[in-house]
Amino acid sequence: DTGVSQDPRHKITKRGQNVTFRCDPISEHNRLYWYRQTLGQGPEFLTYFQNEAQLEKSRLLSDRFSAERPKGSFSTLEIQRTEQGDSAMYLCASSPTRDEQYFGPGTRLTVT
Amino acid sequence: QKEVEQNSGPLSVPEGAIASLNCTYSDRGSQSFFWYRQYSGKSPELIMSIYSNGDKEDGRFTAQLNKASQYVSLLIRDSQPSDSATYLCAVGLAFGKGNQVVVIP
């Protein structure tokens, strides 16, 4: 399978805990994106990388969220001190160029 | 804040008909425009990209872009039940909330 992969697919955590998600992009894609999607809404942009450089981060993104892409390969998204409002589907996408994005299956986060 | 608006409610079309979806955007400097299809419980799938004014056709899909009026549209010809999904308009990195399409056999 050469598509975008995400791990885990589901995560249930208690409020206040930290969680980390991983995304492996399509191997030849140098751009990687993170989005959050809740029911009935479109994906909400969080951040994106070109290679290892984080080029843009949403102003809506709390300081509790951080993302890394060491060596320009896989990426991790960490949420610290989770809140119930963080419950959502977290989507990762990659792109070879010009923001044509290919999405992974997502990680569904439930904060109890 | 860059906004992408998809204001139409759910769209029901009979099988074989044309489904028409519209999207407007606020950032006049936008350069890239996309349509994604999202089946229930699945992640978005890219179906069309368009970068210049005019029409772009790919199979049964046609995307139309009018930068002066700041809108982009998607036509689905000969609609099939398998086209039943939510269609998301994206302008750059910003997505609209989507329009649900239901194709009635």
Side-chain angles (χ1 to χ4, degrees):
Chain A
D1 184 8
T2 57
V4 178
S5 62
Q6 293 187 244
D7 184 70
R9 296 290 304 276
H10 304 274
K11 178 70 176 179
I12 300 174
T13 192
K14 293 184 177 180
R15 187 176 55 188
Q17 298 295 304
N18 298 344
V19 294
T20 300
F21 309 141
R22 176 180 171 123
C23 171
D24 287 90
I26 295 170
S27 59
E28 62 267 27
H29 289 184
N30 60 11
R31 292 190 175 197
L32 186 148
Y33 312 79
W34 285 99
Y35 288 84
R36 175 173 63 190
Q37 187 176 28
T38 54
L39 194 62
Q41 301 297 314
E44 176 189 13
F45 171 76
L46 296 179
T47 189
Y48 98 91
F49 294 83
Q50 181 159 321
N51 299 314
E52 66 274 13
Q54 187 172 20
L55 295 188
E56 190 171 340
K57 184 176 178 180
S58 170
R59 284 173 290 178
L60 301 175
L61 201 59
S62 160
D63 288 344
R64 297 184 296 107
F65 288 71
S66 62
E68 294 182 341
R69 192 183 181 195
K71 302 179 182 179
S73 56
F74 71 92
S75 176
T76 58
L77 177 70
E78 181 183 20
I79 309 174
Q80 297 181 329
R81 304 181 303 282
T82 52
E83 303 172 356
Q84 287 189 321
D86 297 331
S87 295
M89 178 71 82
Y90 288 82
L91 295 165
C92 176
S94 69
S95 173
T97 184
R98 299 201 74 176
D99 298 329
E100 294 184 351
Q101 298 177 65
Y102 297 85
F103 283 85
T107 294
R108 181 168 296 283
L109 173 66
T110 301
V111 182
T112 61
Chain B
Q1 184 174 350
K2 300 174 183 178
E3 293 186 351
V4 179
E5 298 288 337
Q6 294 181 259
N7 290 325
S8 300
L11 179 64
S12 292
V13 296
E15 184 174 356
I18 296 175
S20 178
L21 301 169
N22 295 311
C23 168
T24 59
Y25 59 94
S26 63
D27 183 4
R28 187 171 288 277
S30 298
Q31 297 294 317
S32 55
F33 307 86
F34 309 94
W35 285 98
Y36 292 81
R37 177 176 61 200
Q38 187 171 27
Y39 293 114
S40 180
K42 301 294 185 181
S43 55
E45 173 192 10
L46 178 67
I47 55 172
M48 289 290 287
S49 59
I50 187 166
Y51 301 100
S52 56
N53 280 330
D55 295 358
K56 179 181 178 182
E57 185 174 317
D58 184 359
R60 295 185 295 109
F61 298 100
T62 298
Q64 300 173 317
L65 175 62
N66 185 321
K67 289 185 178 180
S69 300
Q70 294 176 243
Y71 83 79
V72 57
S73 63
L74 179 71
L75 300 178
I76 307 173
R77 292 183 302 280
D78 187 24
S79 295
Q80 300 297 309
S82 60
D83 295 326
S84 297
T86 296
Y87 289 81
L88 298 160
C89 173
V91 178
L93 301 178
F95 281 76
K97 64 185 299 183
N99 285 125
Q100 186 180 9
V101 172
V102 178
V103 180
I104 302 168

